Amino acid sequence: MSDFDLVLRGNVVLSDKIIEDGYVAVSGGKVGAVGAGTPPSARETQDFRGQWIIPGVIDGQVHSGSQANHEGIGMCSRAAASGGVTVMVDMPYDEPEPVTNAKLFNEKVAVVERDTHVDVALYATITIENGLHAIPGLVDAGACAFKFSTFEANPTRFPRIGDDTLYEAFKLIEPTGLLCGVHNQDQEMTRRNIARLIEAGDTGQDAFLRAHTPLIENLATARIYELGAETGARAHAVHVSTSRGFEICNLYKRAGHKATVESCVQYFMLNAEEHGPRFGAKIKHYPPIRPKAESELLWSHLAAGHCDFISSDHVSWGLEKKGDPNIFKNTSGGPGIETLLPALWTGCEERGISPTMVVKQLCEGPSKAFLLADKGRLAPGADADIVVLEPGRFVHDPSKSLSAVKWSSLEGREFRVRVAATYVRGALAWDGSKITNKAGDGRFLRPAA
């Protein structure tokens, strides 16, 4: 009689060590054992020796519904599985209506349970008017975190929440232990800079970077952490692109506050000098892609352990939203859920940073942030979310993407690994060339109590 349902053999990467010629044994959708040498017996054994085995990736910042009737949870989850992402943490800023109350939240949960191929946790947000009253219902419905913005990108779908309201929201959320994630951007300075450049006719692709100075980001980042210090809430800046942002977070961490910092893989892998002229508005993100000197500083912070986790900020805008010669008329963001893992792995390998850092940033870190206790680790009792990575030289070709669009600002980039297999709770979801599970096989995840 077999001891386990499934055994995978390969080089197992944990957050603190690498087990050469190791194995992961699975029983009932859970990790049963992790070890080295001769594995236990199983009904099925897959030999991936010479390849890497890591926990399933948790992408902590996904926008699957930002463009109505375009991608959605189901299609996005297919792209996720092909990229080794076994948990999507989806943002609440859906079009046409953001997720601001328990009714809308439960409707989104129903879509998750019907359509998804991987597991999904959900952020919630609030409206400007009377939004605070909805917070308890959203907590009860299963929100894993709350998202706010200090900048109004859209008055309905992506509104600015003022500091006074943020303060009250943080106080209400603090007893729940949930994360208060905030889009860190100073509105007044942003709008004045953009107006000045447009008036001068200065609207080329590089104008976006000059309009969004590091100070615009850093001032908002400091306000977020000060609100956390005042309320005791878990204050979290969702996309820090500057070295100073990490320094600010470290100040609050050292003072004992519940401050955490997230960055996105594009701020490490792209830079303004090289990729701006080549890709134009395709690399328009908020915050902007910074100069190479700044991105190299981010790698230093990563190596020093200053980053809590890294995400993709994935959003599959159609190219019709990225083609205006006036940079300010294009949408911010781009696809990235399929490239998050191979890109970060490649960047770390190129700089001599251990693969264990990839597991810390893409698995363990977001698991802790969103209170997903059974995710992000290969240890007995955890969900058997497992990714197999084949080493080699693989040029990224976005025409093969499973997302809603076939473009990428990482087009042509050589990656050092590709996703050879993705398992969700012990079941194969991606075999290296196609999706193998069904819509609805993924689950909605509530945060641990």
Side-chain angles (χ1 to χ4, degrees):
M1 184 175 178
S2 300
D3 297 326
F4 295 98
D5 300 327
L6 172 68
V7 164
L8 306 179
R9 301 188 69 180
N11 296 322
V12 180
V13 184
L14 308 178
S15 63
D16 60 345
K17 63 182 177 181
I18 297 173
I19 305 174
E20 303 282 353
D21 190 18
Y23 63 83
V24 179
V26 177
S27 180
K30 298 283 187 178
V31 175
V34 179
T38 303
S41 63
R43 285 189 296 147
E44 177 187 355
T45 297
Q46 293 291 334
D47 192 342
F48 293 111
R49 279 177 289 183
Q51 301 186 52
W52 303 100
I53 296 175
I54 72 169
V57 168
I58 302 168
D59 190 341
Q61 191 170 172
V62 179
H63 299 261
S64 70
S66 290
Q67 191 171 344
N69 304 313
H70 182 61
E71 182 168 73
I73 289 282
M75 182 180 289
C76 190
S77 72
R78 291 170 61 85
S82 74
V85 174
T86 55
V87 177
M88 302 187 332
V89 183
D90 204 63
M91 286 293 178
Y93 297 116
D94 297 344
E95 188 182 55
E97 191 170 14
V99 181
T100 56
N101 58 57
K103 177 178 180 294
L104 293 169
F105 190 95
N106 288 328
E107 288 173 357
K108 190 168 183 177
V109 169
V111 173
V112 168
E113 294 176 337
R114 182 191 69 199
D115 292 348
T116 190
H117 291 260
V118 302
D119 291 348
V120 177
L122 297 176
Y123 263 97
T125 189
I126 63 173
T127 58
I128 297 174
E129 299 295 330
N130 302 314
L132 295 170
H133 300 297
I135 288 175
L138 288 163
V139 171
D140 290 343
C144 70
F146 282 80
K147 175 73 179 291
F148 310 101
S149 180
T150 57
F151 179 82
E152 181 187 290
N154 179 288
T156 301
R157 193 179 68 82
F158 203 101
R160 176 193 184 187
I161 305 298
D163 288 349
D164 52 348
T165 304
L166 277 180
Y167 173 71
E168 297 298 332
F170 277 37
K171 285 201 300 182
L172 283 170
I173 295 166
E174 186 275 331
T176 72
L178 297 180
L179 196 74
C180 297
V182 187
H183 174 110
N184 43 326
Q185 178 178 3
D186 184 275
Q187 177 155 306
E188 288 74 17
M189 292 180 68
T190 299
R191 290 188 166 173
R192 281 198 296 270
N193 283 354
I194 291 174
R196 174 176 52 80
L197 290 169
I198 290 175
E199 185 178 1
D202 186 358
T203 59
Q205 63 87 16
D206 61 328
F208 186 75
L209 172 63
R210 288 182 281 110
H212 295 79
T213 63
L215 184 60
I216 282 175
E217 179 181 337
N218 296 336
L219 284 174
T221 298
R223 290 209 305 273
I224 293 164
Y225 294 135
E226 192 59 28
L227 286 164
E230 283 287 321
T231 60
R234 296 175 61 210
H236 180 76
V238 299
H239 35 42
V240 168
S241 70
T242 67
S243 175
R244 180 59 182 160
F246 282 95
E247 292 171 359
I248 293 168
C249 184
N250 283 337
L251 290 172
Y252 284 86
K253 283 182 175 179
R254 287 196 295 268
H257 300 298
K258 301 171 187 175
T260 51
V261 60
E262 173 186 353
S263 191
C264 304
V265 70
Q266 54 267 27
Y267 301 119
F268 294 81
M269 300 301 292
L270 301 176
N271 64 76
E273 298 95 328
E274 179 182 352
H275 300 100
R278 179 180 176 191
F279 290 109
K282 289 180 180 178
I283 71 155
K284 181 184 175 183
H285 290 265
Y286 189 81
I289 300 301
R290 303 290 182 189
K292 186 173 183 178
E294 193 70 41
S295 69
E296 290 301 322
L297 289 174
L298 297 191
W299 283 107
S300 297
H301 283 289
L302 181 72
H306 296 162
C307 189
D308 289 281
F309 66 93
I310 292 173
S311 61
S312 73
D313 202 6
H314 168 89
V315 56
S316 285
W317 295 122
L319 282 177
E320 73 278 2
K321 294 181 177 289
K322 287 285 191 177
D324 199 294
N326 181 340
I327 191 66
F328 299 110
K329 293 184 178 181
N330 296 287
T331 53
S332 295
I337 200 165
E338 291 164 301
T339 53
L340 170 62
L341 171 56
L344 185 63
W345 185 286
T346 298
C348 285
E349 186 173 310
E350 289 171 343
R351 289 163 177 81
I353 300 172
S354 172
T356 59
M357 181 60 76
V358 177
V359 173
K360 288 177 183 176
Q361 294 298 317
L362 301 187
C363 310
E364 181 183 87
S367 172
K368 291 179 178 178
F370 300 110
L371 308 181
L372 304 176
D374 293 335
K375 301 295 185 179
R377 57 195 178 94
L378 296 178
D383 283 354
D385 296 347
I386 307 168
V387 177
V388 179
L389 294 173
E390 176 187 349
R393 305 279 178 162
F394 307 96
V395 176
H396 180 53
D397 179 4
S399 71
K400 299 176 181 178
S401 171
L402 298 189
S403 73
V405 297
K406 307 297 182 184
W407 66 270
S408 169
S409 53
L410 290 170
E411 181 177 1
R413 183 61 157 90
E414 184 180 83
F415 295 147
R416 301 288 181 88
V417 290
R418 76 171 191 93
V419 178
T422 303
Y423 293 82
V424 179
R425 282 172 281 103
L428 186 67
W430 168 256
D431 68 1
S433 61
K434 65 182 182 300
I435 297 294
T436 56
N437 68 351
K438 304 186 301 296
D441 282 350
R443 296 176 182 172
F444 167 64
L445 301 177
R446 287 176 170 268

